[in-house]
Amino acid sequence: MTSLRKFTAEDLYGFANINLDHLTETYNLAFYLQYLAVWPEYFEVAETPSGRFMGYIMGKAEGLDENWHGHVTALTVAPEFRRIGLAQHLMNELEEISEHKHNGYFVDLFVRVSNLLAINMYKKFGYSVYRRVIGYYSGEEDAFDMRKALPRDVDRRSIIPLDRPVYPEELECN
């Protein structure tokens, strides 16, 4: 049985087994603590009954006007707990918070263009590629900005794909 709970500062010492995945972005301690302090509702961990970490999600609310949205900063599930619906459950939680607590227009995320498994997973969750961001990952690899419209975006304008790639400095919210 899996339980979801809010991430705590102490959890920073216990999630190394999840962050060892080469496709998982790992941030410095201050970055995690900032998210925990400013957007605690967006930071959740999934664990086994014995307390072993299975996965986590962290995000934030950002943007202005019709660009107000939820953003998935990190979603990762330990390899031994993949393909059991945990990523979908964590994403659903973030989408619910974005819709009901923050009244966002959409949820977005960035994913490496080479990470086909994740891209296909997000597509199954209802996300589509909005634009390509050149050199997003340390200037070495491009990212797709994928989006999913929320009910507030009645006309679904937030997910109409751009017709050209952009550079990181062109992004509205960093």
Side-chain angles (χ1 to χ4, degrees), residues 1 7-8 35 39 44 53 95 125 135 145 157 160 170:
M1 173 170 223
F7 202 92
T8 67
Y35 270 73
W39 302 284
E44 292 191 322
F53 278 24
E95 291 165 12
F125 297 169
D145 176 356
R157 292 190 315 195
I160 298 171
E170 297 177 78

Side-chain angles (χ1 to χ4, degrees), residues 39-137:
W39 302 284
E41 70 276 15
Y42 276 115
F43 211 155
E44 292 191 322
V45 63
E47 62 184 4
T48 65
S50 66
R52 185 164 179 234
F53 278 24
M54 300 169 74
Y56 71 89
I57 193 165
M58 63 186 278
K60 61 184 175 179
E62 64 182 3
L64 297 171
D65 304 319
E66 289 185 358
N67 226 6
W68 179 247
H69 66 283
H71 174 74
V72 180
T73 303
L75 167 69
T76 190
V77 175
E80 62 271 29
F81 298 111
R82 292 181 183 160
R83 302 194 187 280
I84 61 170
L86 188 55
Q88 174 77 72
H89 193 68
L90 290 165
M91 289 293 290
N92 288 346
E93 291 288 318
L94 188 137
E95 291 165 12
E96 287 289 316
I97 292 165
S98 297
E99 177 184 352
H100 297 293
K101 182 171 183 176
H102 293 284
N103 198 26
Y105 284 89
F106 61 94
V107 172
D108 81 340
L109 58 91
F110 294 95
V111 61
R112 292 176 183 275
V113 297
S114 64
N115 193 346
L116 298 178
L117 284 173
I119 292 166
N120 289 327
M121 177 187 73
Y122 292 127
K123 285 181 178 180
K124 287 179 188 172
F125 297 169
Y127 287 76
S128 59
V129 174
Y130 173 69
R131 60 189 167 182
R132 186 180 192 120
V133 183
I134 297 171
Y136 181 80
Y137 289 100

Side-chain angles (χ1 to χ4, degrees), residues 19-30:
N19 277 357
L20 293 177
D21 183 329
H22 71 283
L23 293 173
T24 297
E25 290 297 309
T26 303
Y27 305 99
N28 63 48
L29 187 61

